[in-house]
Amino acid sequence: MSEPIIAPSILAADFAQLGTEVASVASGDWLHVDIMDGHFVPNLSFGPDVTSTVDGLTAQELDVHLMIEEPEKWVETYAKAGADCIIFHVEAVANEEAALALARKIRDLGVRAGFSVKPGTPIEPWLDRLEHFDEVLVMSVEPGFGGQKFMPEMLDKVRALRSTIDERGLDTVIEIDGGVSAETIRACAEAGCDAFVAGSAVFKQDDRAAAVAELRELATL
Ligand code: DX5
Ligand code: ZN
């Protein structure tokens, strides 16, 4: 089993102190950046300028989660802002063909391509398309807000992804997002997740390095 990838989500950080907040999670592997447009989800977060600022504050890879409509209009901007992986929602694109074209566009920008599914979106139609993606982000809460309760039934999607990826010898990374904490991360790892987004579970703790270390230990099988 490979090392778990811990991705603190800066959505839960204190934006008034972005520099120290980002530095406080330097022991995380990736930094997860949640982009919300107030349309695809009923909340707004930040955009390319803050993403670029964050990129300048850390050497960590930026895992950019686009919770926006018309993601195809924005991928170039986020690639320039420093994204190392760009994840779009399949619910935000017209059809499968558009999703595959967008993945190609992201890879052509030299960035890893990922897709995400909301809790109500089945994973089955995408299982034989995984070679087009570097990452799959399974939402274990309704996207839009941090601090929500983990939905354990989403681990069925993770198990389906894990067996397909293993059977076909792919290296697509399975990431889980929403309500991941010391209580829930072990079950995520056992279901087959490689990468774990954690917002409140890290930023609500005084000692962020200890929180990251605890999550890492619990996710190591
Ligand atoms: C929710 C975001 C998450 C959020 C997770 O829409 O996609 O990345 O930051 O926050 P927690 O870990 O607090 O559930
Ligand atoms: Zn996210």
Side-chain angles (χ1 to χ4, degrees), residues 7-12 32-36 41 43 65 67 89 116 137 139-150 176-181 197-202 204:
S9 167
I10 55 161
L11 187 66
H32 185 80
V33 182
D34 287 306
I35 310 295
M36 305 180 183
V41 287
N43 196 9
H65 178 192
M67 286 165 274
H89 269 268
S116 183
L137 181 67
M139 289 306 302
S140 42
V141 297
E142 285 298 338
F145 299 91
Q148 303 182 73
K149 198 172 171 303
F150 181 75
I176 188 125
D177 184 8
V180 175
S181 69
V197 177
S200 1
V202 170
K204 294 278 179 277

Side-chain angles (χ1 to χ4, degrees), residues 80-151:
K80 284 203 190 102
D84 295 282
C85 181
I86 297 179
I87 300 157
F88 63 89
H89 269 268
V90 294
E91 303 88 356
V93 293
N95 50 38
E96 184 189 303
E97 201 184 324
L100 300 188
L102 184 51
R104 216 159 30 239
K105 183 171 173 179
I106 294 170
R107 283 179 164 178
D108 285 348
L109 290 163
V111 175
R112 294 200 304 274
F115 74 89
S116 183
V117 282
K118 290 189 195 182
T121 303
I123 196 70
E124 282 70 23
W126 301 96
L127 291 177
D128 54 0
R129 297 286 177 266
L130 296 177
E131 67 275 18
H132 300 279
F133 298 92
D134 303 291
E135 199 175 316
V136 181
L137 181 67
V138 174
M139 289 306 302
S140 42
V141 297
E142 285 298 338
F145 299 91
Q148 303 182 73
K149 198 172 171 303
F150 181 75
M151 300 166 78

